[in-house]
Amino acid sequence: ELNQETIELINKIETICPSHFSGLTRLPGSTFTIRTTRVTREFASRKKTDEKARKKLESRYKNIKSLFEMLAEKPEYSPALSKLLIRMSADGIDFVDKESNKGVALDQYLKLLERSGIYGQNILVIGDAENDEEMLKLVLERGGLAGFVGTHNGLETRLRKISSGKLIVPSHKGTLGTREVINRVLEEN
């Protein structure tokens, strides 16, 4: 779990390197036992993150991820930061415990479903950002379908490498893409 010490360390790094976090704000109520999140100011004020803010978010993400990777090599930061995944979502940056990502949660859910005779190849998941990567990969590895409705080219490339033809990348992104994926699956079945 993402303990209080790790959350405090993230907050400390944010104050030491404010330029890396510029334009981001803490998502109210986002400090759970598994993650803490920084989002665009637009998203925090219940507005859509526009393209300009999304480009800044991508830049901030790359800088933050590089910073945390560098700090993880230092002994004073290593124990806490070595257990941390940094993932970008459509509107923010998630700091997540490596042992508690969406893939880990889905794996537990799939184990429950298997008891009822529902297996991985009968599952469809849809994701739009890097914070969905472990979940999407897990379903693809189990022979299920994954819909990728995001714009992260690197993630799409990684998913295509393991997809065995089970990855659906619709022409639309976001909610329209989600509808397109669901319609495609329903038409095929």
Side-chain angles (χ1 to χ4, degrees), residues 30-185:
S30 75
T31 303
F32 305 102
T33 57
I34 61 165
R35 76 159 197 221
T36 185
T37 301
R38 303 301 185 272
V39 295
T40 63
R41 290 192 176 120
E42 294 85 355
F43 186 78
S45 62
R46 299 182 186 256
K47 296 176 187 169
K48 186 174 181 173
T49 301
D50 63 24
E51 194 57 34
K52 184 178 176 184
R54 191 173 319 283
K55 293 263 188 237
K56 277 187 177 180
L57 176 65
E58 289 174 9
S59 174
R60 298 288 182 256
Y61 168 71
K62 289 175 186 173
N63 291 337
I64 289 169
K65 191 168 182 178
S66 294
L67 173 65
F68 275 71
E69 287 170 352
M70 180 196 68
L71 291 174
E73 294 177 11
K74 297 185 178 216
E76 64 270 27
Y77 294 107
S78 180
L81 298 185
S82 66
K83 299 175 185 174
L84 196 63
L85 273 177
I86 301 173
R87 292 288 193 233
M88 193 171 111
S89 68
D91 299 288
I93 299 170
D94 295 328
F95 300 85
V96 185
D97 181 300
K98 283 183 180 178
E99 302 295 321
S100 302
N101 59 64
K102 290 180 182 181
V104 172
L106 180 61
D107 185 52
Q108 294 301 310
Y109 186 61
L110 289 174
K111 288 176 183 172
L112 290 172
L113 288 175
E114 287 174 1
R115 292 182 193 157
S116 301
I118 301 170
Y119 298 94
Q121 63 267 27
N122 304 111
I123 301 294
L124 164 68
V125 294
I126 300 172
D128 68 347
E130 198 176 40
N131 67 342
D132 298 316
E133 184 169 1
E134 288 80 11
M135 171 187 71
L136 294 164
K137 283 181 173 179
L138 177 65
V139 167
L140 289 170
E141 290 166 356
R142 300 255 180 110
L145 296 172
F148 179 65
V149 299
T151 59
H152 191 289
N153 291 333
L155 175 55
E156 183 179 331
T157 300
R158 292 191 299 272
L159 293 170
R160 285 187 185 281
K161 286 181 182 177
I162 64 163
S163 75
S164 303
K166 300 279 190 163
L167 178 67
I168 302 169
V169 181
S171 57
H172 295 93
K173 302 301 176 193
T175 54
L176 289 176
T178 299
R179 185 173 77 185
E180 189 178 329
V181 168
I182 292 169
N183 285 339
R184 198 181 303 180
V185 170

